[in-house]
Amino acid sequence: MLLSPNGASRSLAAVFTPIKSRGLVDEVCGRIEQAVETGLLTSGQRLPNETELAAALGVSAVTAREALSQLRASGIIRTARGRSGGSFIADNVLPSRERALAQLQDLSRLQIRDLALHYQAIAAACAGVAARRSDAADIATLRSFIPSANDDSASWRLALSEFLLEVAAIARSARLARELIRLQADLGTLTLLPCADAGYRGCTAVILEDVAAAIEAHDPGAAETGVKDLISATTDWLLTEQAKRY
Amino acid sequence: MSETTSTAGPSAGPSAGPSAAPAGPGSAERAAAELDATIAGIEHRLAAWAADAGAALAAMSGKVTGTAVDKLIRPVVEELLQLPGGYAAGAGFIANAGLLGPERSYIAWWQGPDLEHVDALANFSPNSISRYVKAEWFRIPVETGQAHVTGPYVDFLCTDEYVLTFTHPVFTRPDGPVAGIVGIDVTVQRLERGAMPALRRIGGRATLANADGRAAVSAAPDIDAGDLISPDEQCAHYPVGRAFTVWSNAAGL
């Protein structure tokens, strides 16, 4: 379909797109996966039954049941029958290198580049405003998220995403913060891969210090450049790694 | 972006916003008193709630359960969130470690007119207290035993909005450890609707600022919520609630 400048608005096309009903189930699964990743729910721990889960998350029992079965299928939870039965967080459920590699194989170079562009646009907007609005307490909090060189790859990954969320918090824009959270969810466990590389950790540690210094010095330009460099470092690493696998 | 605030500095001050000139002697004072009544009203309601909740928890004599906490807290939250013209976007109680279990917290917090249950998944975690101990709105009232206002800040845990969070410690014994906190979230958007008319009566650049000198609501079009600002040398200062001030004439930094 060709939409000329005089024809129908391109934004109208979205009106006729079918509405997917999977949304809520995926949302529940995402919450539980996130709770596991951040250590709130741990391996072997019993999950509430579907009625309790539904009540806690404000969804229907049907949605909760579907979410539990989706989590079971993806190996996040295991279910035991009988008196001491129920759903439990599976062992070895933390984001693994194998899962991240599988995700990397599934994505095209184009998808990775486009995601990075979007991520850079949002993160740079946050960094620019953060540089204008930061105070001393903000900078202390921001620096507390800079990981140390001997942290393991999983905590590096969490620290990097928390660092950028803190930049959004310093910018004090709810919309940009929400968009950043969505983008990080889209990136998924991919970012675990570079964090296992000491070279990448060393290079990003320098960038994080630079970003914090630029935000502290109220220098929006340098702050924007810094976060863009940070995201480029990640995507360049991923694209290099992916190319090796062809 | 920094230029937009600095060029419109103090010199552009009192003359900006001609339609917002004070309406007569004492008018600014009355408008400031109105703002103070609004914020202090929220703080008093919270203090009364903390006292009631503390007494009710004490009466449970050590057998505090999640269900009992929900039953105690939810009716108050419902009243706060559904109050016509009310300020609360979300409200609730968060248990300190020790009330229900050693590392365990418990969150009984709801938001929005439909009382959406917030962060309830955390209640299934054995180490849920780790989620709250670092947050200013939890840490400060627990450490100091005093009421506190956090923000404006982007609230990632509950509303995902730009909010102020008013929190108050809850005691089950007057000299005992803090059992938890009760709190009310007020969105900056809601506050803006309520505060703008009074700010405009105080002056075209009148601004409601927090203790850090950060704007929450300003009558000046070039000062946004979240901007760091300073008062003009000759401007009037009106205290609003425990932690806020209205500056009759503010400028961006």
Side-chain angles (χ1 to χ4, degrees):
Chain A
M1 180 170 47
L2 185 74
L3 294 167
S4 74
N6 304 321
S9 158
R10 276 171 291 185
S11 62
L12 261 180
V15 176
F16 303 108
T17 311
I19 296 163
K20 298 188 183 71
S21 60
R22 299 289 303 159
L24 219 46
V25 173
D26 289 340
E27 181 86 4
V28 173
C29 293
R31 296 270 184 102
I32 291 176
E33 283 174 43
Q34 211 186 352
V36 171
E37 242 176 72
T38 53
L40 196 61
L41 300 176
T42 50
S43 288
Q45 193 196 326
R46 190 201 189 105
L47 268 185
N49 65 35
E50 67 189 40
T51 319
E52 291 169 318
L53 187 66
L57 295 174
V59 296
S60 71
V62 179
T63 304
R65 189 179 315 138
E66 266 189 64
L68 286 175
S69 88
Q70 189 168 317
L71 287 163
R72 202 172 300 125
S74 54
I76 308 279
I77 63 169
R78 62 183 166 80
T79 304
R81 300 193 181 277
R83 258 171 64 85
S84 56
S87 295
F88 300 85
I89 303 293
D91 301 324
N92 305 323
V93 75
L94 282 178
S96 71
R97 190 175 155 73
E98 290 68 39
R99 237 193 305 152
L101 279 172
Q103 199 195 344
L104 182 62
Q105 307 276 42
D106 282 347
L107 289 170
S108 66
R109 299 179 68 84
L110 186 66
Q111 282 175 306
I112 296 172
R113 269 289 176 232
D114 208 25
L115 184 53
L117 265 181
H118 189 183
Y119 199 10
Q120 280 181 323
I122 301 299
C126 289
V129 183
R132 195 161 67 86
R133 290 182 156 170
S134 69
D135 62 23
D138 292 336
I139 301 302
T141 313
L142 185 62
R143 288 216 162 98
S144 76
F145 287 109
I146 300 181
S148 89
N150 35 15
D151 284 344
D152 65 19
S153 49
S155 30
W156 253 83
R157 170 171 174 265
L158 274 182
L160 283 178
S161 84
E162 289 291 328
F163 181 91
L164 283 177
L165 280 184
E166 188 54 32
V167 172
I170 296 172
R172 296 168 166 82
S173 162
R175 290 186 81 107
L176 289 179
R178 287 196 291 259
E179 193 60 24
L180 205 60
I181 291 173
R182 247 196 308 275
L183 281 158
Q184 292 186 342
D186 286 349
L187 268 169
T189 53
L190 269 189
T191 47
L192 185 67
L193 296 171
C195 290
D197 175 351
Y200 170 87
R201 292 203 301 266
C203 145
T204 46
V206 174
I207 301 177
L208 293 177
E209 294 288 355
D210 289 350
V211 170
I215 290 176
E216 184 175 34
H218 303 292
D219 182 346
E224 286 170 20
T225 308
V227 294
K228 283 183 174 170
D229 288 349
L230 180 66
I231 293 163
S232 290
T234 310
T235 36
D236 290 351
W237 194 99
L238 289 170
L239 290 171
T240 310
E241 183 64 27
Q242 201 203 34
K244 288 184 203 159
R245 291 167 187 272
Y246 274 105
Chain B
M1 286 222 223
S2 57
E3 291 79 7
T4 50
T5 50
S6 54
T7 50
S11 58
S15 60
S19 61
S27 151
E29 282 72 15
R30 282 198 301 277
E34 231 174 73
L35 287 171
D36 181 46
T38 301
I39 300 290
I42 296 170
E43 291 168 346
H44 292 152
R45 180 69 190 87
L46 192 60
W49 186 17
D52 292 349
L57 289 171
M60 293 177 195
S61 54
K63 289 186 295 270
V64 182
T65 63
T67 318
V69 170
D70 283 353
K71 212 182 233 171
L72 173 67
I73 299 299
R74 199 176 191 272
V76 184
V77 174
E78 193 166 350
E79 178 207 312
L80 287 168
L81 297 189
Q82 295 176 348
L83 185 73
Y87 277 78
F93 169 84
I94 296 179
N96 196 7
L99 186 66
L100 284 94
E103 287 298 301
R104 206 174 198 104
S105 179
Y106 186 82
I107 179 166
W109 199 285
W110 290 266
Q111 68 183 18
D114 300 328
L115 275 87
E116 183 194 333
H117 201 171
V118 168
D119 207 34
L121 203 53
N123 288 340
F124 302 114
S125 164
N127 56 1
S128 54
I129 193 70
S130 65
R131 230 167 139 66
Y132 313 118
V133 278
K134 273 167 81 179
E136 182 184 333
W137 43 262
F138 185 80
R139 183 175 53 83
I140 296 193
V142 166
E143 280 174 6
T144 63
Q146 303 284 321
H148 185 70
V149 192
T150 306
Y153 71 107
V154 178
D155 171 23
F156 288 115
L157 193 67
C158 301
T159 54
D160 279 350
E161 287 287 349
Y162 199 47
V163 301
L164 298 171
T165 300
F166 294 79
T167 44
H168 197 293
V170 173
F171 294 95
T172 49
R173 296 197 313 270
D175 55 341
V178 175
I181 57 112
V182 283
I184 297 177
D185 288 328
V186 176
T187 64
V188 170
Q189 189 174 312
R190 175 67 190 88
L191 187 66
E192 178 186 301
R193 292 253 177 245
M196 269 305 266
L199 285 175
R200 303 250 315 151
R201 271 160 38 223
I202 295 168
R205 303 193 60 79
T207 303
L208 177 67
N210 74 4
D212 301 330
R214 208 176 275 285
V217 184
S218 177
D222 58 308
I223 296 177
D224 299 324
D227 284 349
L228 285 168
I229 53 165
S230 66
D232 183 71
E233 262 174 43
Q234 276 114 42
C235 93
H237 297 230
Y238 305 99
V240 171
R242 306 164 60 104
F244 291 90
T245 308
V246 167
W247 290 328
S248 65
N249 182 10
L253 288 184

